[in-house]
Amino acid sequence: YAMNFACDAQNEECLRDAAVLVHLYAYDDPAVKIPNGLERIYCNGLRGAGKQNEFVEIWKKTQITADATMKTTLLNALGCSDDKELLMAYLDTSIGSGNSVNYTTAQRQTVFSSVLQSHSGLKVVIEFLKRAQSEVISSTGRTLAQLLTTIAGTIKTRDDQMLFHDFLMTRINDGLTADQFLSISQTVSSNFARQEVTTAVQQMKEIERIINEWENGISDEGSVWILP
């Protein structure tokens, strides 16, 4: 859908509409229906400053919904927040007891991985692991190497690569073998190799086309309610 791509390309009009839709959804406005295929609206609508109340209301929905698919969608979206304090508190729920949070083991894994979507996510996840590594391993059912491989698969910039490499080095004496270190480092390198397949010119042309479609109002009729 054009809206997904336009918001991902940081089109201001799209992000504004997404924020309004998510606000109305958070407070149960019956006029809002975000259909299948446009789940990234939840994610993009939670980006930026001043979304704490919407974040809390949507998290509450994850604790009471009986729809497992919708719950996963919302858990993934919450990780898109740019608020570092909210993200850390959200990660803390992934190691909470069964009496305090309504998560399956798989959903705890989703919380952990979802935060890596945030522009602030890598730093927050690293700080979280420094503080609560053993609890994360226990609650998610993942080994340290598996958790680090999940992070490695999301590294997109050289700055993040350096930050992650420095953290990775500290784990060698904390349960990470040399072979695992090399494998995880290769995952990061492979990400950059895949990114280089598509040239910057091709990317810009695609983004321009998508934004033009969005601004011209080209979308599937009736797929989502957009405010004027």
Side-chain angles (χ1 to χ4, degrees):
Y1 291 104
M3 185 172 187
N4 283 338
F5 287 105
C7 283
D8 287 345
Q10 303 302 299
N11 176 267
E12 291 185 6
E13 182 180 356
C14 183
L15 292 173
R16 182 204 69 193
D17 286 346
V20 172
L21 285 168
V22 167
H23 172 82
L24 295 174
Y25 171 79
Y27 290 97
D28 299 316
D29 189 307
V32 176
K33 181 180 183 298
I34 301 177
N36 295 335
L38 287 176
E39 288 87 352
R40 284 198 61 77
I41 289 177
Y42 298 106
C43 172
N44 286 304
L46 286 167
R47 294 193 188 278
K51 307 292 176 60
Q52 292 90 343
N53 292 337
E54 289 83 356
F55 185 99
V56 170
E57 292 303 317
I58 289 177
W59 184 81
K60 288 179 181 177
K61 291 179 185 295
T62 72
Q63 298 301 287
I64 61 175
T65 182
D67 184 336
T69 300
M70 187 61 186
K71 184 171 183 175
T72 297
T73 294
L74 296 179
L75 290 174
N76 274 314
L78 290 169
C80 296
S81 171
D82 295 320
D83 188 312
K84 293 180 181 179
E85 291 186 4
L86 276 181
L87 291 177
M88 188 62 78
Y90 185 44
L91 285 171
D92 278 333
T93 70
S94 73
I95 59 176
S97 71
N99 294 326
S100 60
V101 292
N102 178 19
Y103 292 150
T104 63
T105 298
Q107 288 163 351
R108 292 175 189 273
Q109 296 169 4
T110 297
V111 172
F112 179 85
S113 60
S114 72
V115 173
L116 294 165
Q117 301 175 91
S118 170
H119 302 309
S120 306
L122 179 61
K123 291 181 180 179
V124 174
V125 165
I126 286 176
E127 290 304 314
F128 181 58
L129 282 177
K130 286 179 179 178
R131 172 169 58 84
Q133 178 176 297
S134 60
E135 292 94 328
V136 177
I137 290 171
S138 176
S139 65
T140 63
R142 296 289 180 90
T143 65
L144 175 61
Q146 288 172 327
L147 292 170
L148 294 174
T149 299
T150 296
I151 299 172
T154 68
I155 303 296
K156 295 182 176 65
T157 69
R158 294 296 177 186
D159 286 344
D160 283 351
Q161 184 182 25
M162 293 175 61
L163 177 65
F164 181 59
H165 179 269
D166 290 346
F167 174 66
L168 202 58
M169 291 291 290
T170 69
R171 302 300 97 178
I172 292 178
N173 296 322
D174 196 14
L176 191 69
T177 68
D179 286 345
Q180 289 170 334
F181 174 88
L182 290 173
S183 175
I184 293 166
S185 297
Q186 182 58 47
T187 298
V188 176
S189 298
S190 297
N191 280 347
F192 284 101
R194 285 195 297 269
Q195 290 175 32
E196 291 169 358
V197 171
T198 303
T199 66
V201 172
Q202 290 172 321
Q203 291 173 353
M204 290 306 298
K205 285 183 177 179
E206 179 66 7
I207 290 171
E208 182 179 2
R209 180 187 67 77
I210 291 164
I211 290 176
N212 285 339
E213 284 189 6
W214 170 251
E215 291 180 340
N216 291 330
I218 300 174
S219 60
D220 291 339
E221 184 176 357
S223 63
V224 64
W225 182 58
I226 304 297
L227 297 181

